Amino acid sequence: MITLALSKGRIFDETLPLLKGAGIVPRGDPESSRKLILRTNRRDVRVVIVRATDVPTYVQYGAAELGVAGKDVLDEHGGQGLYQPLDLGIARCRMMVAVPVGFNYREAVRQGARLKVATKYVQTAREHFAAKGVHVDLIKLYGSMELAPLTGLADAIVDLVSTGNTLRANNLKAVEEIAPVSARLIVNQAALKVKRVAIQPVLDSFAAAVR
Ligand code: PRT
Ligand code: MG
């Protein structure tokens, strides 16, 4: 049995056509059903539905051989025990620094100001600002980062931006791109050795479906 870990929402929705291209069709829809394990048209493949941030953990420990996770999530996880053989090119967005519309970020950085930055992506933010030599106090949040600068909790946020509508609706502007983000197919390293005969064809058909 091969277990594929997916999160519901955009990762599930955008992986579905690739799975179909790979000849794998999940039975059931995680949006409408409460089932956490979905069978597929293939008796040897099943899908488990977990939180987006938990996908690398399931694959790292081999509870799932395969998974689909955003680069944002993988960078925070660290990627231990995982291969990342394929950029699926789905769930695309950008990791950005954003500030209130009236805030002069460049000038604050130039003056060497110490900035309070709120984010869910503490590792990513720490590396980014360290590489730029910008002094920051990082404040870990689990959601609604946009609220932090509006309430005085932080000067800036690090968050994912897709259309930019969320920033605009909250009077914020993106001032710096940290990295482009897309979802990756991930594989448990040990499983790829032990179950290569079963896993490699699935990887190959994913690669073909991406092309
Ligand atoms: O939402 P939930 O708390 O359940 O979990 P999650 O946010 O971890 O999962 P989900 O399904 O929202 O995101 C899964 C993956 O999709 C992320 O790990 C990213 O790799 C990818 N992705 C692509 C995005 C976006 N685009 C995106 N726009 N993830 C989140 N967003 C959010 C962003 O954080 C911000 O709040 O959408 C808002 C901005 O969108 P725009 O279009 O207004 O700019
Ligand atoms: Mg979300």
Side-chain angles (χ1 to χ4, degrees):
M1 177 67 78
I2 296 177
T3 301
L4 169 68
L6 297 176
S7 53
K8 63 180 179 183
R10 67 190 106 214
I11 295 281
F12 184 87
D13 296 345
E14 296 186 31
T15 302
L16 215 49
L18 295 173
L19 274 176
K20 197 169 179 214
I24 300 168
V25 183
R27 300 209 192 284
D29 169 8
E31 276 331 312
S32 55
S33 126
R34 284 166 192 266
K35 277 203 161 102
L36 298 176
I37 301 182
L38 305 181
R39 293 163 47 153
T40 71
N41 62 320
R42 286 187 33 179
R43 292 176 56 180
D44 59 334
V45 181
R46 64 177 183 173
V47 172
V48 294
I49 303 297
V50 303
R51 284 297 294 263
T53 42
D54 291 335
V55 169
T57 307
Y58 272 78
V59 178
Q60 171 186 5
Y61 291 103
E65 287 80 12
L66 299 173
V68 175
K71 181 180 184 291
D72 51 318
V73 166
L74 289 166
D75 286 347
E76 289 298 308
H77 170 269
Q80 309 90 315
L82 306 175
Y83 290 124
Q84 302 182 24
L86 207 53
D87 183 345
L88 299 175
I90 59 169
R92 283 180 186 279
C93 54
R94 294 182 297 160
M95 186 69 75
M96 307 281 289
V97 181
V99 299
V101 167
F103 184 79
N104 191 337
Y105 173 74
R106 246 156 260 300
E107 186 58 17
V109 167
R110 201 189 57 78
Q111 290 178 354
R114 194 170 183 96
L115 296 175
K116 284 185 290 174
V117 179
T119 187
K120 195 159 121 180
Y121 306 100
V122 172
Q123 300 299 340
T124 303
R126 183 176 292 118
E127 277 172 38
H128 172 74
F129 292 112
K132 296 201 54 153
V134 176
H135 299 288
V136 293
D137 291 317
L138 294 173
I139 301 169
K140 166 84 183 184
L141 290 179
Y142 292 88
S144 301
M145 269 84 86
E146 301 82 11
L147 191 58
L150 306 180
T151 53
L153 178 64
D155 304 304
I157 61 171
V158 166
D159 194 9
L160 298 173
V161 179
S162 164
T163 60
N165 287 340
T166 306
L167 292 183
R168 270 190 294 277
N170 291 290
N171 243 338
L172 302 172
K173 61 179 179 186
V175 287
E176 202 159 76
E177 172 161 339
I178 298 179
V181 168
S182 56
R184 314 293 155 101
L185 186 65
I186 58 174
V187 187
N188 175 273
Q189 288 179 348
L192 187 59
K193 291 202 189 78
V194 179
K195 297 193 187 176
R196 186 180 276 279
V197 177
I199 293 174
Q200 192 63 50
V202 179
L203 294 184
D204 293 344
S205 13
F206 254 103
V210 171
R211 290 193 301 268

